[in-house]
């Protein structure tokens, strides 16, 4: 039978490269730190709208944020 493929995001890597904190990102996105942390630690996956917002804030392509 088919297995569900887990997707992971690369937000954490891009934040680290740019020296940006999760706190800053959560404020810019207008969401709680706990939700931002869940995205960064891959406990929860952001929807496409959020991925595009994060990509815009980090000045990267949305494709660079997902595997």
């Amino acid at each position: 039978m088919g297995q569900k493929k887990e997707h992971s995001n690369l937000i954490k890597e891009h934040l680290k490269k740019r020296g940006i904190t999760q706190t800053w990102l959560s404020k810019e996105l207008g969401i709680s730190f706990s939700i931002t942390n869940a995205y960064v630690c891959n406990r929860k996956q952001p929807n496409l709208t959020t991925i595009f917002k994060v990509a815009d804030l980090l000045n990267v392509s949305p494709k660079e944020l997902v595997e």
Side-chain angles (χ1 to χ4, degrees):
M1 305 269 185
Q3 290 182 328
K4 183 179 178 184
K5 184 178 185 311
E6 284 290 320
H7 294 282
S8 62
N9 67 66
L10 303 170
I11 296 171
K12 186 175 193 173
E13 291 178 29
H14 286 281
L15 289 175
K16 189 173 182 178
K17 278 183 198 176
R18 289 161 178 75
I20 297 172
T21 66
Q22 292 180 45
T23 302
W24 178 86
L25 183 61
S26 65
K27 287 179 183 176
E28 291 296 312
L29 292 173
I31 59 176
S32 71
F33 176 85
S34 61
I35 295 296
T36 303
N37 182 260
Y39 293 157
V40 170
C41 295
N42 285 309
R43 291 189 309 272
K44 183 174 181 170
Q45 292 303 311
N47 61 32
L48 283 176
T49 302
T50 302
I51 289 172
F52 276 85
K53 287 179 184 177
V54 171
D56 186 51
L57 289 168
L58 298 179
N59 200 28
V60 298
S61 164
K63 286 183 177 183
E64 293 181 60
L65 297 178
V66 293
E67 289 187 326

